[in-house]
Amino acid sequence: MSKATMTDKHDADSHDLIRVHGARENNLKDVSIELPKRRLTVFTGISGSGKSSLVFSTIAAESQRLINETYSSFVQGFMPTLARPDVDVLDGLTTAIIVDQQRMGADPRSTVGTATDANAMLRILFSRLGKPHIGSAQAFSFNVASISGAGAVTMEKAGRTTKERRSFSITGGMCPRCEGRGKVNDFDLSELYDENKSLNEGAVTIPGYSMEGWYGRIFRGCGFFDPDKPIKKYTKKQLNDLLYKEPTKVKVEGINLTYSGLVPTIQKSMLSKDVDAMQPHIRAFVERVVTFTVCPDCDGTRLTEAARSSKINGISIADACSMQISDLAEWVKGLDEPSVKPLLNTLERTLDSFVEIGLGYLSLDRPAGTLSGGEAQRTKMIRHLGSSLTDVTYVFDEPTIGLHPHDIQRMNNLLLLLRDKGNTVLMVEHKPEAIAIADHVVDLGPGAGTAGGTVCFEGTIEGLRASDTVTGRHLDDRVTLKETVRTPTGKLEIRGADTHNLRNVDVDIPEGVLVVITGVAGSGKSSLIHGSLAKRDGVMSVDQAPVRGSRRSNPATYTGLLDPIRKAFAKANGVKPALFSANSEGACPNCNGAGVIYTDLGIMAGMSTTCEVCEGRRFDASVLEYTFGGRDISEVLAMPVAEAEAFFGDGDAKTPAAHKILERLTDVGLGYLAIGQPLTTLSGGERQRLKLATHMGDKGGTYVLDEPTTGLHLADVEQLLALLDRLVDGGKSVIVIEHHQAVMAHADWIIDLGPGAGHDGGLVVYEGTPADLVANPTTLTGEHLAAYVS
């Protein structure tokens, strides 16, 4: 082949754009855009402007749907079915790998090691090199129990039936006492029932255990005890049956059912989940009733004694998993064993990726459910960093969440590394330091919700800075230090804090002022506040746990706003409040109050069409005849928060209880949201602020906020600072765990932890005003804050 032919441009090289035409997902308004491949594109815009709708719900969703369609129908039956996004044309897509902010599974058996396959490699390593040798890799797994059995097996051979004796044995690493959880639980039985009452009198105090429902029918019909006799008069056997009886088949009213004692039922239904993932009332019950203590048999390692006895150079697998990952990486580098060299190289690369990405302070035995949103996202990135794949589209959702300004530069380098390998990187981001590395910027807006959904700017960073968009105007914003700071009204004492990596910390947190807790990721900020302060009386904690809710949930149901609205409608019309709930008696009979008819098409994506009877309004036609203030219930639920606040604040529809909740929603910047909008359509930043608005109604003198700037645009940060000021001026103490320099600069008092992460952190390295920290920047936070305000 001649040289000239080699340099000719091939037709295949012309497909260097991802083309989107007519995107209408959620609030997008016929968006058409062309994105360069093998470049880093950042999507900006205020929270709710349509960034996630374009990037995740349109581009990434269609890529994943098309890949799923390449599998056989049998395989597709086991995969989630994805509907085609509402878009006219999507061209030039490549395989999309989504790295989002979703918290990792809250299964108590899931750890950092199991989530990243590092544990799997360690198990194989110990099964090959551990002394004494105890078995295969399963013998080091806390998810595999040791079991054995023997018996006769009937077989057909040459037309004759013969019996052979067979036995089997599996050696697992699961601690038999705690079943691989590392903790055992003990029950306070007095919290399960009132011994002075009978079952029919409501003795059982467990949430959901009503004598009017199925539990009551089982208790009455099982025959193990008398439901009319006070529990304190039960015999020893009857009390044991009530509390501890293993699942037993019973026949009640001609129906075959299973009876199980209260303790096994709670263990199966509640304690099999992570406590943090439970509904608030269930969580409160579990924390009141159950005491969790470290398993005395395995000392919290989850492993059998045999698994802990097998060692390499004096280190057991439990020791290795409890090491800080940066230290474990050094230990693995010191192992020189040619027989397992490929395994050691892969494990070394995985552990080095943890350190590169700023998670070297974690340990492999850290429960996955305890990771913050930012830590979870970076943990998911690890499996992609060493990948040999190219021409892949990586989609990131605010990868700088939870990162100190010192760590953001490292994250930027990793993103550029992915791009330079020939990949397309799409990133939703608000931080100016991360936006700065973009090759291409797409700014959506101009507003949020129905006021957004259009492309306001597309081009370079310099072009964005010169544009008159909201992002362009705020890109170079800097919050100045306060001239005067508030005077504390008291102090909250923390003494001897040693949760996780804290080193016996003593600190006084001033009350009546805005306190910001700072430090690099992993320095001990959350350990200090959530471990020592958040559970005290009068302290309201708003953490990063996701807002849970189905498409039937909306801001009105989540905040409790719907209750006063229903009562107001019922009182005005002389009917029952239940009529004004789309999940109860007032629901449209055709769609059961969903507003849409869902058709399951098996392996194909299901179809949802607007209900023809209620036209998507969710209520029965007879209910819509009742009005309040001239509006029916569906019209009220369609109102934006700001309009509803005015509606319920004055005139014929004045409802103080509803107005107070709507005021809080406006305060956190959600005035544009429709109060009946499904929670599933809200962005991450909107859900965080919805949760904050709900907690503002709690009775307590101290608020703890964990990174409230998550998902917030630069313009929204100003509104958040004004809200924090209003809370403090209203007599509250506000403690904020934060990395955003604007919040640090606005603080009355800063407590900086460090100096590093993991075992290099855990100390208070600065206490004082932001002005003093900037004047004498002796810490990493001080250096970055001084650069920010100057």
Side-chain angles (χ1 to χ4, degrees), residues 199-213:
L199 291 174
N200 278 336
E201 290 171 336
V204 177
T205 54
I206 305 170
Y209 279 61
S210 164
M211 291 301 287
E212 283 73 49

Side-chain angles (χ1 to χ4, degrees), residues 437-684:
I437 64 169
D439 301 308
H440 190 71
V441 181
V442 178
D443 190 38
L444 282 97
T450 54
T454 60
V455 174
C456 299
F457 172 82
E458 191 183 351
T460 62
I461 291 287
E462 291 72 27
L464 176 65
R465 191 170 273 116
S467 71
D468 194 34
T469 66
V470 176
T471 306
R473 290 196 300 272
H474 288 274
L475 197 58
D476 294 317
D477 277 4
R478 294 291 182 270
V479 172
T480 56
L481 295 173
K482 290 178 177 176
E483 291 183 12
T484 58
V485 294
R486 300 177 181 92
T487 304
T489 57
K491 62 183 179 181
L492 292 166
E493 294 183 357
I494 295 177
R495 296 290 179 265
D498 58 0
T499 308
H500 297 315
N501 65 330
L502 294 177
R503 293 189 255 171
N504 213 28
V505 169
D506 294 338
V507 67
D508 293 334
I509 298 178
E511 291 182 295
V513 298
L514 175 59
V515 180
V516 176
I517 314 294
T518 61
V520 298
S523 59
K525 303 180 299 297
S526 296
S527 300
L528 177 69
I529 300 304
H530 292 304
S532 304
L533 198 66
K535 291 177 181 173
R536 294 187 187 180
D537 288 340
V539 176
M540 298 296 115
S541 180
V542 185
D543 59 17
Q544 293 183 19
V547 170
R548 300 178 186 278
S550 66
R551 61 184 176 187
R552 286 182 176 273
S553 303
N554 52 53
T557 58
Y558 184 80
T559 59
L561 171 64
L562 196 56
D563 289 337
I565 291 177
R566 285 202 310 247
K567 287 173 184 171
F569 265 90
K571 187 176 179 182
N573 294 281
V575 291
K576 292 190 294 186
L579 280 176
F580 303 98
S581 169
N583 298 325
S584 186
E585 293 181 29
C588 164
N590 190 48
C591 63
N592 293 323
V596 293
I597 303 293
Y598 183 77
T599 309
D600 184 10
L601 298 176
I603 62 165
M604 304 294 288
M607 286 293 296
S608 59
T609 53
T610 303
C611 174
E612 294 177 357
V613 176
C614 67
E615 297 177 337
R617 286 180 289 193
R618 304 175 61 196
F619 290 90
D620 188 8
S622 61
V623 174
L624 299 180
E625 292 175 8
Y626 300 115
T627 61
F628 178 65
R631 306 284 187 101
D632 66 42
I633 185 68
S634 69
E635 290 171 331
V636 168
L637 291 176
M639 286 181 181
V641 167
E643 185 185 337
E645 184 189 359
F647 178 74
F648 288 108
D650 207 3
D652 296 339
K654 186 173 182 178
T655 311
H659 186 254
K660 186 180 285 188
I661 296 171
L662 289 161
E663 271 186 326
R664 293 200 292 266
L665 289 169
T666 306
D667 281 345
V668 297
L670 294 177
Y672 60 88
L673 274 189
I675 62 175
Q677 183 176 335
L679 287 187
T680 50
T681 64
L682 267 55
S683 68

